Amino acid sequence: MSKTKEFLIPFSGLKLGKHHFEYQISNAFFENFDYDEFQSSDIKVSLVLDKKSNMLELEFKHKGTVNVPCDLTGEDFDLPIKGKMKLIVRFGDEFNNDNEELLILPHGEHEIDIAQYIYEMIALSVPLKRVHPGVKDGSLKTEALTKLNELTVKEQKEESKQEEDIDPRWDKLKKLLTDK
């Protein structure tokens, strides 16, 4: 999946205890997964790997921004995201990643690829509905919104003119409907 060895951690050569890793994630990382939801991204991922005698505990944290289009206006904006995830790695007879919080590696393994876990953690931290902060507080000014506002004002003026130009004979027919 990952085309770089940056996300491969050779845990067999590490001493027991905690080890810290830091990664800077950009759109090039997401291209490896054919994920093109973000126009740009700048995310810092920190990983604490706690190596114990019979298992590994990985604690991921990320914080940064992704540039996404607003679902309401279509305008691009920087969306701040953050999140964390824990993963426990145990050793067994065969590879098993059915559980999202537990990974079982075969006994002979000496390294772990964390790219998939970083990708899932970031992708799941982005909200389903992405709304530009300017929409929430009313400060967003775009050409599309300006044009929409101009059109709505004209429609209201035209409707009032149409009401004034109604033939008086229709008024008598409308009274028949309301006199039931």
Side-chain angles (χ1 to χ4, degrees), residues 115-160:
Q116 180 69 32
Y117 298 102
I118 292 175
Y119 163 72
E120 289 174 3
M121 177 182 62
I122 293 171
L124 292 174
S125 70
V126 177
L128 290 176
K129 188 170 185 179
R130 301 172 279 210
V131 180
H132 194 290
V135 171
K136 292 177 184 174
D137 62 18
S139 65
L140 181 65
K141 303 288 183 210
T142 64
E143 289 181 34
L145 288 175
T146 307
K147 191 67 173 174
L148 282 173
N149 288 336
E150 289 174 8
L151 292 174
T152 55
V153 172
K154 287 180 182 177
E155 288 176 10
Q156 291 174 350
K157 288 178 182 176
E158 289 174 9
E159 287 175 8
S160 62

Side-chain angles (χ1 to χ4, degrees), residues 87-102:
L87 177 69
I88 296 175
V89 181
R90 292 197 162 262
F91 300 98
D93 294 332
E94 60 185 39
F95 179 84
N96 184 346
N97 65 350
D98 293 341
N99 189 335
E100 59 193 39
E101 296 176 358
L102 177 67

Side-chain angles (χ1 to χ4, degrees), residues 157-172:
K157 288 178 182 176
E158 289 174 9
E159 287 175 8
S160 62
K161 285 180 184 177
Q162 288 176 352
E163 290 176 7
E164 293 171 4
D165 297 338
I166 294 178
D167 191 355
R169 292 176 286 182
W170 287 107
D171 289 335
K172 292 182 181 179

Side-chain angles (χ1 to χ4, degrees), residues 40-54:
S40 65
S41 56
D42 182 24
I43 305 162
K44 183 179 178 183
V45 176
S46 63
L47 167 66
V48 176
L49 185 144
D50 189 3
K51 183 176 180 183
K52 300 185 177 181
S53 59
N54 59 352

